[in-house]
Amino acid sequence: MDAVIENLPTYWRGFSMTLLLLGVSGLSALVIGTIIAAMRISPVASLRGFATVYTELVRNTPLTLVLLFCAIILPYLGSRLEYQVAAMIGLSVYTSPFVAEALRSGINGVPVGQAEAARSVGLGFGQTVGMIVLPQAFRMTIPPLINVFIALTKNTSVAGGFFVFELFAAGRELANARGDAVIAILLGVATLYLLITVPLGVIAGQLERKWVVQR
Amino acid sequence: MSGPSVLFDVPGPKARRSSLISSIVAGLLILAGLGWIALTLAAPRQSGGITLPGFFDPTRWNIFADPEVWSFIIFQGVVGTLSAALTASVFALILGVILSLLRSAETAWIRVPVAVVLEFVRGMPVLLMMLFILLVLNTGAFWAVVAALSLYNGALIGEALRAGLAALPRGQREAGLSLGMRPLQSKMLVEFPQAFRQMLPIIVAQLVVLLKDTSLGFIVGYTELLRVDMNNLGSFYGNRYLFSLFVITLVLYLAMNLSLSWFARWLSKRTASKSSGKRLDPTDPGQAMLVAQASAASKQTPQF
């Protein structure tokens, strides 16, 4: 236990980097994912095709490979990004198809009849989308989106393997330094991860129950 | 896209023509972007006063003419990845069955602690579990990778099976009991086979995740595809081949994962046409699980 307490500053350094990775790549994954989802449901066939191929390829590439590309291949190709920025890019790209799929399933989950009813009472395209379809899609999308962010939180640990000093890297370094207290140190790291993931899971579960659309 | 969209009417001739035009324009833009990337990669580059050949130059790819390199990639890399994935899948399936039984046990003394442990396992990064097993239990890299992957995916498969059990009509269990089976017998002989079949696409999709996650072995020092290609071959042949080795690794991973994904999709289509028509999208285990749980909940509350 004392090994954990005397190393609190190191823990904090790792934890804040994990939070930073989560925040930045979460937001940018949301942006990229929304664009991909919009392309995926657009009437333009080539955009749909591109979005489908992108989703399939990125989703079937291991995260380790994506981050390795950002940390090792990108500098080799001549980029001068810092490792943390590269890791943020990698995490955003890797998470974006999951965001897109969550959004798309929300929009596709709205029955066609809703939009038809809206049009039949004379609402225009903007009104149909803004007042009828999106509010329902939004309610269905938030819980799965939170699940995507929970997965992202856990995935930030992989960045620790590629020169970014976040929670996992902090835990590994401390465990190497204090071989006698490995269990306590790693349980400390696990607790900090759970501090992010468990509350998010609880929120997702509650919204799920509260916002489920009765049909 | 299959079926009519929620947002658009069925397009008329004018809308079809404008959609075709924008399709072509957007397609050309995407192709131009990809072409630009390819040309940038192909161009020779300056580095410290020396001109290096472009990335599609034969001198960056000539090691792949050597069968020795391929046998190394296949027999060390692919076999390392697949053996870890296969071993972990078997253990994850066994663990999933056991966990779903414990999690739906009658006594709260078993059910509640198992639920807490499962929450703990699901909220933690797999990589951290690998490190824990590696350092605390001192098992060596292979078993660290296999144990962490089995535990994590076993927890998720257990949850899927539990949702599948709950989604079965109640009559199945009652029929088993009325034939004189004990509750456990009815569970193993009547309910589990059906739940397993129902959840098979989700389970296969979870195995895709497992296969992808074996690459975490790269970080904890297990010799699998990524490590063989990028570390061993990469340092043996030097930086010049880093990019081509990466491309080959990516293609091999995509080949393995995409074929498993397609298998999952094919399975779900096959099972969907025979069962009640409820289709689960296997490519997203989390999403599919929600659907299953929702259908389970709707079956438990009587509907009028």
Side-chain angles (χ1 to χ4, degrees), chain A residues 107-215:
Chain A
I107 293 176
N108 279 347
V110 179
V112 189
Q114 296 281 329
E116 283 170 358
R119 278 199 299 266
S120 72
V121 295
L123 297 187
F125 175 73
Q127 284 169 314
T128 309
V129 171
M131 290 163 61
I132 308 293
V133 175
L134 277 189
Q136 297 186 51
F138 184 73
R139 288 172 76 125
M140 287 193 273
T141 306
I142 294 293
L145 266 188
I146 294 180
N147 286 336
V148 171
F149 290 131
I150 293 176
L152 172 62
T153 312
K154 295 188 277 182
N155 282 340
T156 54
S157 66
V158 182
F162 296 99
F163 321 116
V164 181
F165 193 82
E166 46 66 78
L167 206 43
F168 172 77
R172 190 170 56 179
E173 194 187 280
L174 289 179
N176 282 339
R178 288 289 305 267
D180 55 326
V182 174
I183 297 183
I185 284 173
L186 292 184
L187 282 182
V189 174
T191 313
L192 287 174
Y193 274 112
L194 293 176
L195 218 58
I196 309 177
T197 53
V198 169
L200 278 178
V202 172
I203 295 174
Q206 269 175 358
L207 290 182
E208 183 87 57
R209 229 165 295 138
K210 204 167 140 192
W211 281 2
V212 68
V213 183
Q214 299 288 343
R215 294 199 202 290

Side-chain angles (χ1 to χ4, degrees), chain B residues 19-226:
Chain B
S19 138
L20 182 68
I21 292 171
S22 43
S23 218
I24 290 169
V25 171
L28 285 178
L29 281 177
I30 292 169
L31 279 183
L34 293 178
W36 178 77
I37 292 175
L39 280 181
T40 318
L41 286 177
R45 55 194 62 223
Q46 302 284 332
S47 165
I50 312 160
T51 311
L52 298 171
F55 285 103
F56 300 117
D57 194 84
T59 59
R60 286 187 185 271
W61 295 85
N62 52 14
I63 51 169
F64 296 110
D66 186 357
E68 197 87 2
V69 170
W70 281 108
S71 78
F72 196 59
I73 291 177
I74 301 293
F75 290 112
Q76 296 272 312
V78 176
V79 167
T81 289
L82 287 182
S83 63
L86 218 65
T87 320
S89 314
V90 172
F91 282 118
L93 284 174
I94 297 172
L95 201 64
V97 171
I98 294 173
L99 284 176
S100 68
L101 277 180
L102 291 179
R103 185 76 176 73
S104 55
E106 304 269 309
T107 33
W109 284 108
I110 303 175
R111 203 172 55 223
V112 176
V114 171
V116 172
V117 171
L118 281 185
E119 257 336 283
F120 184 79
V121 167
R122 286 169 57 193
M124 226 169 49
V126 189
L127 191 54
L128 192 63
M129 276 189 251
M130 287 183 188
L131 186 69
F132 190 90
I133 294 165
L134 193 65
L135 294 181
V136 175
L137 304 181
N138 212 351
T139 53
F142 175 76
W143 288 105
V145 170
V146 167
L149 286 177
S150 320
L151 194 59
Y152 182 76
N153 293 287
L156 292 174
I157 290 175
E159 207 58 12
L161 282 176
R162 197 166 66 93
L165 282 180
L168 286 180
R170 205 181 304 163
Q172 295 293 332
R173 180 183 169 77
E174 284 164 0
L177 293 180
S178 75
L179 285 177
M181 291 183 173
R182 278 175 278 114
L184 189 65
Q185 264 182 322
S186 137
K187 197 154 254 172
M188 297 307 279
L189 295 174
V190 178
E191 295 171 61
F192 248 121
Q194 299 183 56
F196 194 78
R197 189 169 178 281
Q198 191 88 14
M199 287 292 146
L200 198 55
I202 299 184
I203 291 171
V204 178
Q206 196 56 47
L207 296 182
V208 179
V209 176
L210 191 153
L211 180 58
K212 260 169 49 169
D213 280 354
T214 52
S215 68
L216 291 173
F218 176 73
I219 298 171
V220 294
Y222 171 58
T223 311
E224 41 69 74
L225 184 56
L226 194 53

